Amino acid sequence: MRDLLKRLDIESTNPGGFCGAWLGSGERLDSVSPIDGKTVASVTQVTVEEYQRIVARTQEAFLAWRSVPAPVRGETVRRLGNALRERKDDLGALVTWEMGKIRAEGQGEVQEMIDICDFAVGLSRQLYGLTIASERPGHRMFEQWHPLGVVGIISAFNFPVAVWSWNAALAAVCGDACLWKPSSQTPLCAIACTKIAERVCRTCGVDPAIFSLVIGRGGTVGEQLIRDRRIPLVSATGSCAVGRHVGAVVGERLGRTILELGGNNAIIVTPEADLNLAVRAILFGAVGTAGQRCTSTRRIIVQDSVRDELVNRLTAAYKQVAIGNPLEPGTLMGPLIDTAAVETMMAALDTLKREGGEVLCGGQRLEGSKHAGGCYVTPCIASARNEFRIVQEETFAPILYIIGYKTLDEAIALHNAVPQGLSSAIFTRNLLEAERFLSACGSDCGIANVNIGTSGAEIGGAFGGEKETGGGRESGSDSWKAYMRRQTNTINYSTELPLAQGIRFGD
């Protein structure tokens, strides 16, 4: 561990603010690993006064960065991607230590950062506007996109580095500066990434304050950020409750938001499904990251004729899941993030039983020498009804609800009958069922898949959801437009002054 931290330039105690210089004189924050309950390192959080200094400095960096040609901005992001490649193993290991993901998932998260940098480099030469036919003779009309300003990024513990990169890489090539407020549960990952970005910027002769950082309490520094009129866009990842607050506060000042909130993701399994394929997808979707992904599979809506067979196969698969230290080879599920998450899972199962549900397997705390100090549980399969209150909520834990159906129309209705709308899937070899699910009358989610699970989105597609998931989109496609301001321009190259809509004035 000491060698890992040294390679990532992490000290035993680290300042939690950056804007070209490192600062932080506030309360001490310990980063405690969910693997063994021990402190990895500590952070001195920023004060409100230091936050103000950081924002002012970030705004100053933006004013210079916006004038740099977009392809040149892309070169900085290209070098950032290469620097992340060089530190992939170390950063992935830090994600595992601080968040609890197994090694493969920690490495995969860093690969997402690399991929989005590559995507953004290409995008830096494709920030296209449009030429529009004017109704007035002798006029040319077009639109163009300009840098927006300072982008506030609020990330959650479950993806401690990737979410920053989804926003920061795109925002940087768009000419924006970024101010990152990471989760207080994973501050070291943020410091490590910021130090890598700092070195890249200095090598490129770029003001490193375009990648600024504030680590502090949500009730102080977080509130300052979302209320700050110098920050025209806030991209926030978190629970629906957090999103409602962020959306309301930023909306009150007429700022913009990208909200990536909770999911209650379901997979419909029809009699036409390849059950071997479905079981593998469900297992990863429900158990991967210990059920702590916004795209984790929460509900299985299965046709009654194949329900028993599917449950039997899933139960057998769950019993083979190796649970333990995520640093060890062969581990498939690590710990929950903290003891509060374990308590939340146990409370959810108690509620399920009171509402009439039944635990079919799993759902226990794991203790003993092998799991000492950590936050380990067994993944749970439960029989439930879609209308149960606990099923309508997102419990950030490996709980999988089994819900039966008779007709495909009923299955789609059950699928859509939750407040959230992030990711969804159907397993079927029937073309009509697949197309029905993807139609306007099918899934109401931002992501809808056929014969793959709900988890594991690629950076090339815009990521986000509908309803209480927030409606925001990050990463690929044309999501870059959220980080820029659109401007419509008209040039009159005639000697006349015709008005639009054929209006004649003063003749």
Side-chain angles (χ1 to χ4, degrees), residues 85-338:
R85 280 184 176 89
E86 294 171 2
R87 286 285 180 263
K88 179 179 176 179
D89 289 346
D90 288 341
L91 272 177
L94 183 60
V95 169
T96 296
W97 269 109
E98 197 169 33
M99 188 270 154
K101 289 183 177 181
I102 63 174
R103 276 190 178 274
E105 290 189 277
Q107 298 290 315
E109 182 169 349
V110 180
Q111 186 62 49
E112 284 192 48
M113 303 174 74
I114 296 166
D115 291 346
I116 195 63
C117 285
D118 288 349
F119 180 92
V121 172
L123 179 66
S124 69
R125 294 181 181 271
Q126 301 178 76
L127 302 176
Y128 299 136
L130 296 173
T131 297
I132 306 159
S134 174
E135 66 184 64
R136 291 170 284 189
H139 285 61
R140 181 167 70 89
M141 185 163 60
F142 61 97
E143 68 175 24
Q144 58 182 334
W145 296 84
H146 292 307
L148 180 63
V150 176
V151 175
I153 303 170
I154 301 173
S155 63
F157 75 86
N158 59 325
F159 278 85
V161 296
V163 169
W164 168 72
S165 68
W166 294 349
N167 289 275
L170 295 192
V173 298
C174 289
D176 301 328
C178 298
L179 180 64
W180 184 13
K181 184 199 174 301
S183 167
S184 295
Q185 292 168 300
T186 52
L188 302 181
C189 287
I191 291 173
C193 289
T194 301
K195 289 196 172 186
I196 291 171
E198 176 190 7
R199 287 192 290 272
V200 168
C201 287
R202 294 195 189 283
T203 299
C204 294
V206 170
D207 188 340
I210 61 171
F211 297 115
S212 291
L213 176 71
V214 286
I215 297 173
R217 294 183 181 276
T220 52
V221 169
E223 283 296 310
Q224 291 283 321
L225 189 156
I226 63 177
R227 296 180 185 279
D228 200 323
R229 293 183 178 275
R230 293 168 294 183
I231 302 176
L233 171 64
V234 176
S235 178
T237 301
S239 67
C240 293
V242 168
R244 289 190 192 95
H245 178 65
V246 172
V249 172
V250 178
E252 186 177 21
R253 61 177 176 85
L254 300 182
R256 302 186 196 175
T257 55
I258 299 173
L259 299 177
E260 298 291 353
L261 312 177
N264 197 343
N265 315 297
I267 294 177
I268 295 175
V269 180
T270 82
E272 301 283 343
D274 179 336
L275 290 187
N276 291 325
L277 204 62
V279 167
R280 291 168 59 193
I282 294 167
L283 184 67
F284 174 71
V287 173
T289 322
Q292 298 172 115
R293 289 179 175 227
C294 52
T295 54
S296 290
T297 306
R298 310 287 180 198
R299 298 176 295 141
I300 299 300
I301 302 170
V302 55
Q303 216 277 338
D304 291 338
S305 65
V306 294
R307 175 173 178 158
D308 289 347
E309 182 180 359
L310 180 66
V311 170
N312 289 338
R313 290 196 187 197
L314 283 172
T315 301
Y318 268 49
K319 290 179 179 178
Q320 298 176 39
V321 174
I323 305 166
N325 188 326
L327 293 164
E328 295 179 357
T331 299
L332 291 181
M333 193 180 102
L336 294 178
I337 185 64
D338 55 23

Side-chain angles (χ1 to χ4, degrees), residues 266 415 421-426 434 436-439 442-454 462 464:
H415 175 280
L422 178 53
S423 188
S424 61
I426 188 170
R436 168 77 172 167
F437 182 72
L438 299 180
S439 75
S443 168
D444 63 358
C445 293
I447 300 169
N449 299 327
V450 176
N451 293 332
I452 62 170
T454 61

Side-chain angles (χ1 to χ4, degrees), residues 70-93:
V72 178
R73 300 194 295 251
E75 172 61 13
T76 299
V77 174
R78 186 188 69 81
R79 294 193 184 191
L80 175 60
N82 286 341
L84 293 171
R85 280 184 176 89
E86 294 171 2
R87 286 285 180 263
K88 179 179 176 179
D89 289 346
D90 288 341
L91 272 177

